[in-house]
Amino acid sequence: MAFFPLAALATLVSCRGEHVDVDLEDLSMSLLQQKHRVGDCSGGYGPGQHIVQLPEIQRQFLFIVPRDHAPLAKIPAMMFFHGMYQSPFFSLRLLGLPDQLERYGWFGILPWGIPENETTSMGGQRQCCAQLCGDDLNCCLESRFVMYQDEGACGFPPEKNDLNLRFVDAIFEWMARETCIDTSKVFAGGFSYGGHFAQVLACHRSHLFQLLAPNASPDFPSEFSCEGARPISYINYCGTADATSCTLRSARLGVLFAKQSRCTAQQHRRQSATVSCTEWTGCAEDHVVMDCRWEGDHDVPGRHAPDGTSVLRPASDIDWTKYIFEQFSLRVDPHQILFYGRPTPEEEEHKMAVWPPKKGTDHVYLRQALLKRGLLTLDE
């Protein structure tokens, strides 16, 4: 991953803008100069991962800060709600979020769910840690296991919707108060119970989000009433072999959200050999609504769980993280995307001024990551 592992940092438990400086590895002078600008934009938090606690509601979330972002712009953000028995650290690794957030220059927010018989989540790094990790903090941070299926498991179950909606409201207030995040350019995803909560947000907090992207949402019996909800982009994925029967719910919710977004056309198309979608277009404000099936189980398409439990799948499965970021890029202003508009004519002229072309030395952390992507296992 492009970010520094949390275990290698100082303890990062922060309240309302207070923070402990990150112990960063050596960076070039240019990156150190950039850190100050990013820190100003992120409420004083340096590049990396931070646990932010909101004492007024006794909840916490993981805040991901990129090393750089588009200049002179309010910055978009992504939120993701983890599955039952999991944690934000699990989602971070499952989705490869640091790489994508670094590449786009956007902020990430991953809220913690709450245990079944509790109403708070303020346990710092060990909140929602799997019992099998014991006292091994690195095991928690690396998400080597999921939690037991008991009352202590953390998540976003339907009976906690009101609490979690208040939590989302508080996060938006924090973003507006403490950071330069563009609160009109936020999108969110979720897995399993977290995916169901993303569907709840599409109905009950549509004014806060540009796009909601649930994945593997269980077929809960409750029905939705989205009266008064605003148009929104909605992209849902469900595995055809998902034991939670998410397909039963997905089809009718696709119709519901297409109606909410006043879409006028519908088509069925295959995205790849293993993925097919129903897509509604002609929607208000150029939104798009998609309900997709992939030939998989209760997992995230194109991704592998950090606890090693994912079944290996064909490469034709869509990379969920990459695809959702690409779709959200259609909802932001071009200048809010890092490196948009490059190379400029001047940069191209400078590059070709001598032969062989001059090598770039900026953003080494991105250049090296891109160079190694797809080759990481060759030395094993």
Side-chain angles (χ1 to χ4, degrees), residues 286-354:
D286 292 325
H287 284 295
V288 63
V289 175
M290 298 175 62
D291 179 37
C292 301
R293 302 286 178 273
W294 67 291
E295 298 174 6
D297 57 0
H298 194 62
D299 222 327
V300 177
R303 311 301 307 177
H304 294 120
D307 62 350
T309 59
S310 296
V311 177
L312 292 179
R313 292 276 308 151
S316 55
D317 289 346
I318 193 169
D319 184 324
W320 184 90
T321 310
K322 185 174 183 293
Y323 182 72
I324 296 302
F325 271 75
E326 289 171 347
Q327 288 297 302
F328 186 65
S329 72
L330 298 172
R331 305 301 309 171
V332 305
D333 297 328
H335 70 274
Q336 293 179 305
I337 301 174
L338 186 62
F339 305 125
Y340 188 87
R342 299 182 64 182
T344 64
E346 293 76 17
E347 287 174 321
E348 183 65 15
E349 181 180 356
H350 177 75
K351 174 183 175 181
M352 302 303 293
V354 296

